[in-house]
Amino acid sequence: MINFKSLIVTTLAVGALASVAMAGPFTKKSELGGFDGFVERMGGGVRELGRGNTGSADTAAMPAAYWNPSLLGFRENIGITVNFEKRDLDRVGGAFGVEGKVGKRMGVGFAMLYRGDTDFKVIDDDDETLGSAEPFFSMFYLGFAFRATRQDAFGLSLSMSYDNMDIAQYYDGVEEAFRSPVTINLSWFRQWNDKWSSSVIIRNLSFSKNLSAKWTKNPSRDNTLSSTEGVRPKVLQIGLGYRSKIMGKPVYAWMEAIDYQVADTLLAFDPQLHVWTGRVGFECEAIPNATFRVGMDDLNWMLGAGYKFEIRVGRRRFPIEVNYAFLYETSAGIWSPFSLGLRGYIP
């Protein structure tokens, strides 16, 4: 018989699930579990990943439905982004997004994030390896924005996650797939002038009690395994962007402060129930159409590069951008040398 409790806990530890399974309130940063590790560290875009996983205060960040839905209000063309990441511990990830303008003042976008393990060993109570599983997690975002002025936009996105532990083949009567309730993300973006921009995002609200995104997971159909609760922490994210030139070369700086409220309450004022982290990133267009990046997400270091070119089809030109990112997760000692992304626009 498979030791499912150990399997579930281990799966959460490596980030295969995007929610934390427990019955009481959060108390430690580690108990943010897969959400903090699997979604936040493996961001929605390789371009943004290369500069410290920053994107909330940049109108060019894609997919905007994930980074900041209010950015959709500044879209003029149809944008498409595809990203792929190969990380240590047999882990892969990716993201896809499409977005565009609706009318004169509105924008709409869709994003899907995917995270998975390609060789997760299934071990029974006798420490015998039964085989390999490929647990995966996906999260979907549908975003809307309204541009109130030339400088301001407000956004809303609806998100929902789906995860699958891929263990039913080794044991009958186990429920391996779970779907979260729909959560709400609210945002505001302002472009103050040619240099400064800012953003505010509130993530993971719900219409349930205390506005908390919470749901029950029952891993067995016959109730032989106890049910657990999935709770997604409320998040307050504040971003700041700065644009300038040094020796005639465009340079950019991005900063974000993030507060995770790790408690199932409306507002918690106890510092022990909050986890604070920060991100910072820089980029410079050192040569025409080529950008180099560096950043830091908490204690994780990132390097990145991107190049823009155009594809001509008849008389039409389609801008394409190729991005690469390199990541080192300091606390885990994990290198991620391969992250590749493509962005394009349809005028």
Side-chain angles (χ1 to χ4, degrees):
M1 177 179 176
I2 299 173
N3 188 337
F4 284 102
K5 292 183 180 179
S6 297
L7 176 61
I8 292 173
V9 172
T10 307
T11 304
L12 285 168
V14 299
L17 299 179
S19 56
V20 181
M22 61 177 147
F26 304 97
T27 57
K28 301 177 182 178
K29 182 174 182 179
S30 61
E31 291 175 346
L32 283 170
F35 183 84
D36 181 40
F38 223 38
V39 179
E40 294 299 310
R41 287 203 305 272
M42 295 182 76
V46 172
R47 173 179 175 269
E48 294 76 15
L49 181 67
R51 62 186 194 195
N53 224 6
T54 58
S56 66
D58 180 13
T59 54
M62 293 172 57
Y66 165 73
W67 289 108
N68 181 348
S70 61
L71 301 177
L72 294 167
F74 291 83
R75 296 296 180 257
E76 295 295 334
N77 303 310
I78 298 175
I80 301 173
T81 179
V82 179
N83 305 278
F84 176 78
E85 300 178 48
K86 176 66 175 69
R87 300 200 175 189
D88 204 353
L89 303 178
D90 297 309
R91 184 169 300 168
V92 296
F96 168 79
V98 58
E99 54 200 52
K101 185 177 182 180
V102 178
K104 294 183 179 181
R105 291 178 173 267
M106 297 186 66
V108 62
F110 168 81
M112 181 186 74
L113 278 65
Y114 173 86
R115 311 289 180 247
D117 292 288
T118 58
D119 188 19
F120 189 89
K121 301 300 182 184
V122 180
I123 302 174
D124 62 13
D125 289 335
D126 297 323
D127 291 331
E128 296 291 334
T129 300
L130 302 180
S132 297
E134 296 183 0
F136 69 89
F137 159 76
S138 57
M139 196 157 187
F140 305 88
Y141 293 82
L142 181 61
F144 307 89
F146 175 74
R147 189 169 179 177
T149 68
R150 291 185 178 182
Q151 298 174 295
D152 296 273
F154 299 89
L156 175 149
S157 68
L158 306 175
S159 59
M160 182 180 69
S161 66
Y162 174 84
D163 53 74
N164 191 310
M165 292 188 294
D166 190 36
I167 55 174
Q169 57 185 313
Y170 301 106
Y171 184 73
D172 294 330
V174 63
E175 186 65 44
E176 61 178 4
F178 301 96
R179 184 177 65 183
S180 76
V182 174
T183 57
I184 303 169
N185 311 291
L186 305 174
S187 68
W188 167 68
F189 173 87
R190 181 175 176 83
Q191 185 72 50
W192 296 92
N193 49 45
D194 293 338
K195 292 187 175 181
W196 292 96
S197 61
S198 63
S199 64
V200 177
I201 309 171
I202 301 174
R203 301 183 184 271
N204 303 327
L205 301 178
S206 175
F207 289 116
S208 61
K209 183 180 179 181
N210 295 324
L211 299 181
S212 297
K214 190 175 178 181
W215 65 101
T216 301
K217 293 184 174 184
N218 187 353
S220 61
R221 299 188 184 98
D222 57 2
N223 295 319
T224 56
L225 297 175
S226 60
S227 298
T228 58
E229 284 187 345
V231 181
R232 186 158 295 138
K234 298 182 182 72
V235 181
L236 174 63
Q237 184 173 356
I238 299 175
L240 186 66
Y242 178 75
R243 304 160 181 81
S244 186
K245 286 188 177 182
I246 297 179
M247 300 179 63
K249 304 295 184 182
V251 294
Y252 310 86
W254 311 100
M255 293 162 281
E256 294 184 2
I258 305 175
D259 170 28
Y260 296 91
Q261 179 177 295
V262 287
D264 179 24
T265 60
L266 183 61
L267 290 174
F269 298 98
D270 184 351
Q272 298 298 320
L273 298 178
H274 288 263
V275 175
W276 295 281
T277 185
R279 302 171 179 172
V280 62
F282 304 90
E283 56 186 337
C284 175
E285 190 174 334
I287 58 178
N289 298 323
T291 303
F292 298 93
R293 308 179 179 101
V294 62
M296 193 173 184
D297 180 354
D298 199 3
L299 296 178
N300 303 313
W301 292 91
M302 288 88 164
L303 296 173
Y307 185 76
K308 300 177 183 178
F309 62 96
E310 290 183 341
I311 295 179
R312 292 189 179 184
V313 179
R315 296 183 178 181
R316 301 187 67 182
R317 297 183 178 183
F318 298 89
I320 303 291
E321 182 179 348
V322 180
N323 292 294
Y324 169 81
F326 177 90
L327 166 65
Y328 176 67
E329 297 185 60
T330 306
S331 58
I334 297 176
W335 299 87
S336 299
F338 185 79
S339 297
L340 188 65
L342 290 175
R343 296 155 46 98
Y345 300 91
I346 302 176

